[in-house]
Amino acid sequence: MENLSPLRDDDEENEVDEAKMLLIGENGTKGDSFSPRSDGAPELQHYTIRSIKSTVVIRQLTSQGLSFQLWPAASTFVALLDNYRLDPANSPLAATLSSLKPAGSTTTPMNILELGSGTGVVGIAAAITLSASVTVTDLPHVLDNLSFNAEANAQTVARFEGQVHAAPLRWGEADDVELLGPNVDLVVASDVVYHDHLYEPLLKTLRLMVAAKGSEGKRLIFLMAHLRRWKKESVFFKKARKVFDVDVIHSDEPRNGARSGVLVYRFVAKQPNQNASNGCPAYNEAFAQRCFKLIDEYAPGFSSSVISYDMLTPPDLEREIGLTGGNIFHGAMGLESLFLMRPVKGWSNYKSPLKGLYLCGSGAHPGGGVMGAPGRNAALVVLQDLK
């Protein structure tokens, strides 16, 4: 049974000394020690994966920045994956992962994308424990270390029929997302919500991925382990809830004087019509970028010349000018609603049951389109009646 709890944005400020939260030592699970950041920290860390009775080796380069270090949220995620393999029925990941297994297939691997992978420990653990095909991503300058860690564990990953490869992903860049392709079953991340100037680029990347999945008629699922540090992080979650339904599926006990422990969130993309009150921003942006790219093929440089743009989607048309379902034809153009049946049987002569009220829009024969035929035909009927 999953431990689901509502997301709260009004917790008190939770200031944490980040230096003390750097993981130095094996696994970082309960009982292991956390030490202050040190450039002299051991470069190679060993994670014990109990479910396979083996370890993974991770190189961290503490002198090169945050992306090269191990953090508690990643350790929590690895522990959850390990426990899932040991006892899937009682894992908080059970409902999510079982829903992603290809129908009728026991051999097709799950395709997982990790955002802001850093050292790649979560992606590597996922490849092993889930026998998954995992793409670990980060900024280009992080890829060498990511690739090193993937290669260092390649034999163990292969032994459990997983795959890991590294790819660049700059948040907010549509081209990077497109290069990764739409074939992603699950997105994962740990400790990626920290600098507030990165909230919007991260959300843009997620919106693009939501749109890619939506084009297949599917909903994106994103699992994120996160240790809350500042109240301002609530801004990210408030914006994310416009696109996702968000739940907490796991929480660790607080450590080192913190007010909260690591939380694992599940983000599930809303159905398109759930965003009807404010348009479908997750889909608008990706669609606009595809249009611009197509125009660029015939008019190079078009995209770079766009200063701004606005889109009116079906929900926008319904909200702003009252078109039910955003249908510009005032009703579907199916065979059952054409000719003598448009808009309904008995009303196809442009006269309504109310004397003096005529039908002249796209809901009348011959239907919608930039031709004005319904209006012309209705006007001729009005003129005939006025004689």
Side-chain angles (χ1 to χ4, degrees):
M1 179 73 68
E2 283 187 297
N3 178 27
L4 296 180
S5 59
L7 175 65
R8 297 180 299 173
D9 291 323
D10 56 355
D11 292 341
E12 294 182 22
E13 194 84 14
N14 184 22
E15 295 284 0
V16 175
D17 183 351
E18 292 186 52
K20 294 182 179 179
M21 298 308 292
L22 178 63
L23 173 60
I24 305 294
E26 185 176 349
N27 286 23
T29 53
K30 189 172 182 179
D32 294 320
S33 62
F34 292 92
S35 303
R37 174 180 171 177
S38 168
D39 289 345
E43 190 175 70
L44 295 180
Q45 299 293 317
H46 295 265
Y47 271 78
T48 299
I49 308 295
R50 296 179 299 138
S51 59
I52 64 169
K53 298 179 180 179
S54 186
T55 62
V56 296
V57 180
I58 299 296
R59 182 177 72 177
Q60 64 169 347
L61 305 173
T62 57
S63 63
Q64 295 192 28
L66 300 179
S67 297
F68 298 85
Q69 303 171 21
L70 294 162
W71 296 91
S75 182
T76 291
F77 213 141
V78 171
L80 282 180
L81 291 165
D82 190 14
N83 290 334
Y84 173 79
R85 186 179 178 90
L86 285 169
D87 186 11
N90 293 309
S91 169
L93 302 177
T96 300
L97 295 178
S98 62
S99 71
L100 296 173
K101 292 180 180 178
S105 173
T106 58
T107 58
T108 303
M110 187 185 304
N111 291 308
I112 298 176
L113 176 71
E114 185 184 8
L115 298 176
S117 300
T119 62
V121 64
V122 172
I124 292 167
I128 293 171
T129 57
L130 303 177
S131 299
S133 176
V134 180
T135 301
V136 290
T137 68
D138 213 309
L139 294 171
H141 75 279
V142 183
L143 291 187
D144 283 347
N145 197 52
L146 262 180
S147 298
F148 175 92
N149 287 333
E151 182 61 29
N153 296 282
Q155 290 186 353
T156 304
V157 170
R159 183 156 58 96
F160 292 93
E161 300 181 337
Q163 301 176 42
V164 178
H165 73 275
L169 178 59
R170 298 163 296 170
W171 294 347
E173 296 294 331
D175 289 345
D176 285 12
V177 175
E178 186 175 357
L179 286 174
L180 292 172
N183 190 25
V184 175
D185 299 311
L186 175 68
V187 178
V188 300
S190 59
D191 257 337
V192 292
V193 178
Y194 43 95
H195 295 313
D196 51 1
H197 71 277
L198 294 177
Y199 296 171
E200 189 53 42
L202 174 56
L203 287 166
K204 180 178 178 181
T205 291
L206 289 170
R207 288 194 293 265
L208 290 168
M209 291 179 176
V210 166
K213 292 295 287 184
S215 67
E216 302 175 346
K218 300 177 182 179
R219 301 168 71 184
L220 182 75
I221 298 179
F222 171 43
L223 296 178
M224 182 182 78
H226 176 66
L227 178 62
R228 185 168 182 166
R229 296 178 175 86
W230 300 287
K231 192 172 182 179
K232 64 184 179 183
E233 293 166 7
S234 64
V235 173
F236 170 84
F237 290 98
K238 287 177 180 177
K239 290 183 176 181
R241 286 209 311 271
K242 294 180 180 180
V243 182
F244 295 95
D245 294 319
V246 187
D247 291 301
V248 176
I249 63 171
H250 172 80
S251 60
D252 280 349
E253 292 295 325
R255 300 181 191 170
N256 297 335
R259 294 183 61 87
S260 64
V262 173
L263 301 178
V264 178
Y265 297 87
R266 179 175 60 189
F267 298 72
V268 181
K270 293 182 177 181
Q271 297 284 9
N273 61 5
Q274 287 180 263
N275 292 318
S277 63
N278 60 359
C280 299
Y283 298 88
N284 297 0
E285 193 161 21
F287 183 74
Q289 294 301 325
R290 288 199 297 272
C291 291
F292 293 162
K293 186 173 182 179
L294 181 61
I295 297 173
D296 277 336
E297 293 180 9
Y298 299 92
F302 172 81
S303 295
S304 61
S305 70
V306 175
I307 298 174
S308 182
Y309 69 89
D310 187 29
M311 291 185 65
L312 290 176
T313 64
D316 297 324
L317 294 172
E318 180 172 19
R319 182 182 65 254
E320 294 184 18
I321 56 180
L323 293 180
T324 301
N327 192 322
I328 63 172
F329 299 130
H330 294 187
M333 297 282 286
L335 290 176
E336 73 283 357
S337 57
L338 294 177
F339 305 108
L340 295 177
M341 299 296 291
R342 190 161 189 86
V344 293
K345 186 177 181 179
W347 291 20
S348 61
N349 61 357
Y350 304 98
K351 297 180 181 180
S352 77
L354 299 177
K355 186 176 180 179
L357 179 61
Y358 297 85
L359 306 177
C360 59
S362 296
H365 175 77
V370 187
M371 55 182 172
R376 179 183 183 278
N377 292 348
L380 291 176
V381 172
V382 172
L383 291 174
Q384 184 66 35
D385 288 350
L386 290 176
K387 288 183 179 180

